[in-house]
Amino acid sequence: MLLVLDVSNRQTAVALFDADRSGPWWISTDPNRTADEVGLLLETLLRHRGVDPTRLRGAVLGSVVPALTRTVSQACARYLGLEPLVVGPGVRTGVRVRTDNPREVGPDRIANALAAFRRYGGPAVVVDFSSTTTFDAVSAEGDYLGSAIAPGLDMASGALAQRAAQLREVELLRPERVIGRNTVAAIQSGLVYGFAALVDGIAERMKSELGGGRVIATGPDVGPVQAEARSIDVVDPMLTLDGLRLIWELNAGEGSSR
C-alpha cells in the first residue's frame, strides 16, 4: 500500500493506493506544525481508516510549501517508518518540461500533466481548482508546455470581503440565476459564473494553441464551477495524487520504502 501526500498552500491531500484507491482526505496546511504534529495526524488518519501503518510499502510527497517539505518527510520517517520520495529536481517524472525555467514548475503541475496524459492522452489542458486556479498545457507527446495562473475561488472570495467594506465572504454555491437579487447571490454569481467563463475562455484559447485536446478539471474547489464551465470534459478529483503515484512507480520507490 502506497501513501501519497500532496501539500498545497491551503490544504494537504492524503490518499492510499493499493489494488484500489482510497481518498482523498484533506487536512489543513499549516507551515507552523511540527513533525510530531504532522506524524500524529497521519497516524491517526490511517488508523481511523483501519490501516496499519506497517502495511505501507512506500510514500511519495509532492509539496509546494517549502517550510513543510522537510517537516512532512520527518513525520513519515518518525511515525510511519518511511522515507518518502520527495518529488523535485533529480527525480524521474516521465514528463519533459518545455518552459523557460523548468525548476520553477511545481511537483503538483508535473503530476497533473503525467496523469492527464497517461489516463486521457494528449494534447490536454488541466485546470486545477485549488489555492490558485492553474491551467496547464500538455502536448500531444505528453510534454509540459506552460501554464496560466489566476486567483483561486477561495482567494477571490476572501479578497472581495477584505477590500470592499460592504461585502463579505459567502458560501461558494451556484445561484439560481446570474442576476443576483441580493448581495450574497450577486457575489455567488460573480464567483461561480465568472470563474466558469474564465475557465472556458482560457481553456479554449489553450486548445486553439495546442490544436485541440481535452480539458480535465481537478482540485478541491472544482465543485461549484464544474457544471457551469462548458469546456470541461472530465472531472478527476484524484488526478494529482494519481500522478504522484505514477512518479513513485517510475522511480521504483527509490528512497521511499521500508
Side-chain angles (χ1 to χ4, degrees):
M1 188 173 292
L2 177 68
L3 175 67
V4 182
L5 300 156
D6 175 32
V7 181
S8 66
N9 289 293
R10 187 161 52 92
Q11 293 179 310
T12 295
V14 183
L16 294 169
F17 286 84
D18 199 355
D20 299 311
R21 299 182 298 180
S22 299
W25 305 297
W26 302 93
I27 58 177
S28 61
T29 297
D30 182 354
N32 296 313
R33 280 196 174 121
T34 66
D36 290 324
E37 290 174 312
V38 174
L40 286 170
L41 272 173
L42 291 175
E43 186 179 40
T44 301
L45 176 62
L46 291 172
R47 293 196 183 280
H48 179 71
R49 298 290 173 176
V51 176
D52 182 350
T54 62
R55 291 180 54 204
L56 297 173
R57 63 190 174 103
V60 57
L61 167 63
S63 172
V64 297
V65 185
L68 275 176
T69 304
R70 181 172 173 79
T71 299
V72 175
S73 296
Q74 291 175 335
C76 289
R78 193 176 300 169
Y79 284 83
L80 307 178
L82 292 168
E83 292 286 347
L85 173 70
V86 179
V87 179
V91 172
R92 291 190 297 275
T93 65
V95 177
R96 290 172 295 194
V97 181
R98 306 295 195 185
T99 61
D100 294 339
N101 186 0
R103 287 180 174 269
E104 71 182 7
V105 180
D108 54 336
R109 321 282 284 283
I110 303 301
N112 281 346
L114 177 61
F117 182 70
R118 290 281 191 92
R119 300 189 70 178
Y120 307 106
V125 176
V126 180
V127 189
D128 194 336
F129 294 85
S130 189
S131 305
T132 58
T133 304
T134 58
F135 301 78
D136 294 315
V138 183
S139 75
E141 297 74 32
D143 298 345
Y144 181 91
L145 300 180
S147 63
I149 303 174
L153 271 165
D154 190 67
M155 183 186 298
S157 176
L160 280 174
Q162 290 175 9
R163 297 297 182 92
Q166 296 190 40
L167 299 182
R168 61 186 186 275
E169 289 194 58
V170 302
E171 190 175 3
L172 292 172
L173 298 175
R174 174 187 177 276
E176 293 183 2
R177 54 181 64 87
V178 176
I179 301 174
R181 296 185 178 179
N182 55 66
T183 300
V184 170
I187 295 172
Q188 289 173 330
S189 174
L191 290 171
V192 174
Y193 295 120
F195 269 77
L198 169 73
V199 170
D200 289 338
I202 293 182
E204 289 303 322
R205 287 173 182 266
M206 279 194 170
K207 284 174 62 178
S208 178
E209 292 184 18
L210 289 168
R214 305 180 81 181
V215 178
I216 301 107
T218 191
D221 293 335
V222 66
V225 176
Q226 67 181 77
E228 307 307 321
R230 295 184 294 272
S231 59
I232 294 176
D233 297 306
V234 180
V235 176
D236 188 340
M238 294 286 282
L239 190 74
T240 310
L241 295 161
D242 198 37
L244 291 171
R245 174 190 64 84
L246 290 168
I247 292 172
W248 187 87
E249 291 179 352
L250 282 171
N251 289 269
E254 292 177 7
S256 60
S257 300
R258 294 186 180 278

